[in-house]
Amino acid sequence: MLFEEKNRTVEEASEGTSLFEHLQGLLTGYLREHGNLSLNGLSKRCRVSEPTLRRIRNGQVKTLPNVSTIFTFLSYILDEVEAEKIVKKVGEPLGSYLKERAQVIESFKKIEFSEDLSEVLKDPVKYVIYKLAAGGHGLTHEKVFDLFGSYGEKQLQSLVNSGWMYREKNFYYVKTPYFALSHEVFVEHFKTMADFIKPEKHANATAESAPLFTNYSGSIHKEAYKEIRKIYKKAAHRAAEILNDPHSKGNIPTFVLSAVDTIDAQCADEFGTT
């Protein structure tokens, strides 16, 4: 990626610096024009954290913030909500950089909860088939049979017959690529996706490419719980950005599982208290 520290060319590093300086200039210029507005006040208005804004202003970051953070900030200072119009207003060099990634932001706007799809995908095999086909690369009949046999073939055909999927040449695609399902479906199929975790299959993978598994637990107070939740929410959002970025498209079907919850269900009662 453009802003990774490893293996960057001089040109890429220079471009990254130029992009950041443009963003930094927009921030300092806005604060200068609105002399009575503090950094904390701007943070509350534009919904970007104060530490992030401070690091940008002081030049204390080596990479650009994630795309959604940039668009959120620019949306406020430019008084514009449409990604394409933000790109036009912001100018260069950020304009060209954001133009290539505007599709990521627009894709998030298209994500809608579907009660009907949640009902259809209660079957775990249908769930995996649909998720594989929703990746944009398409899904072959052979891959479905390889994973799930004749039962998978039946579920694939059922999805096609009901109009949720369609076929083009030798690949199957989904009707609704940007979707959200109920939490109940997520919980039911968490184990379904976890069954695809097979460390032994990646014994020869490099450190940078090996699958990542984490499992932490402990007894903590409510504020610490909130902090962990905030960290994982931010990481999950960034992962979703990368998965939806057209520059990320490839033939490696990838999944990310993320959950922060309590082991003792009775402790959940505390979440409703101040």
Side-chain angles (χ1 to χ4, degrees):
M1 293 185 65
L2 178 61
F3 299 109
E4 286 183 337
E5 288 301 308
K6 294 181 179 179
N7 302 322
R8 292 196 305 172
T9 65
V10 173
E11 291 79 8
E12 286 175 330
S14 176
E15 182 180 358
T17 300
S18 177
L19 290 169
F20 176 78
E21 288 176 347
H22 187 181
L23 181 64
Q24 184 184 40
L26 290 169
L27 171 58
T28 55
Y30 188 84
L31 290 172
R32 188 164 49 247
E33 291 176 12
H34 301 79
N36 295 326
L37 182 64
S38 67
L39 205 61
N40 179 262
L42 177 59
S43 171
K44 292 178 179 179
R45 295 185 185 187
C46 73
R47 294 179 291 110
V48 174
S49 73
E50 184 178 354
T52 296
L53 294 177
R54 184 178 297 108
R55 286 193 292 269
I56 293 173
R57 184 189 63 184
N58 298 337
Q60 294 174 334
V61 292
K62 294 181 179 179
T63 64
L64 282 175
N66 62 53
V67 176
S68 63
T69 297
I70 296 175
F71 270 107
T72 298
F73 168 69
L74 293 177
S75 177
Y76 176 77
I77 69 169
L78 298 175
D79 192 24
E80 182 57 67
V81 295
E82 294 184 24
E84 290 185 2
K85 291 183 179 179
I86 291 174
V87 167
K88 290 180 180 179
K89 284 186 176 182
V90 74
E92 298 298 336
L94 266 180
S96 295
Y97 171 80
L98 294 176
K99 183 178 180 180
E100 297 178 350
R101 291 154 179 83
Q103 185 176 337
V104 179
I105 302 302
E106 293 303 320
S107 69
F108 278 105
K109 294 180 181 178
K110 299 175 184 177
I111 296 176
E112 295 182 2
F113 167 72
S114 173
E115 185 174 348
D116 292 338
L117 189 56
S118 290
E119 184 66 28
V120 168
L121 299 186
K122 281 185 176 180
D123 181 277
V125 173
K126 280 185 178 178
Y127 176 79
V128 176
I129 288 174
Y130 196 90
K131 286 179 74 68
L132 285 170
H137 191 68
L139 179 64
T140 64
H141 179 276
E142 290 75 16
K143 176 55 68 174
V144 172
F145 183 80
D146 181 51
L147 289 172
F148 305 113
S150 59
Y151 182 76
E153 290 180 309
K154 292 178 181 178
Q155 300 312 307
L156 172 62
Q157 193 58 49
S158 174
L159 287 166
V160 173
N161 292 341
S162 59
W164 288 106
M165 291 180 62
Y166 62 94
R167 181 175 180 176
E168 285 187 0
K169 296 183 179 180
N170 295 323
F171 291 90
Y172 290 89
Y173 301 91
V174 301
K175 170 187 171 183
T176 309
Y178 305 109
F179 61 94
L181 306 177
S182 68
H183 292 311
E184 289 75 18
V185 171
F186 168 78
V187 172
E188 287 177 10
H189 297 326
F190 195 95
K191 290 182 180 180
T192 300
M193 297 306 298
D195 285 340
F196 286 92
I197 299 175
K198 294 179 174 60
E200 69 280 2
K201 296 292 185 179
H202 303 280
N204 297 322
T206 63
E208 294 80 8
S209 302
L212 181 62
F213 314 125
T214 60
N215 181 11
Y216 307 119
S217 61
S219 295
I220 56 179
H221 55 73
K222 187 175 178 180
E223 293 307 312
Y225 174 88
K226 288 181 179 179
E227 189 63 25
I228 292 175
R229 183 184 180 280
K230 185 188 301 182
I231 291 170
Y232 273 79
K233 183 178 181 180
K234 184 176 181 179
H237 190 84
R238 179 63 182 130
E241 281 187 348
I242 296 172
L243 289 168
N244 283 283
D245 192 330
H247 293 80
S248 301
K249 295 301 179 184
N251 60 353
I252 304 174
T254 302
F255 68 96
V256 178
L257 292 176
S258 179
V260 178
D261 203 347
T262 63
I263 295 174
D264 185 350
Q266 292 182 344
C267 294
D269 294 338
E270 295 188 24
F271 297 161
T273 63
T274 56

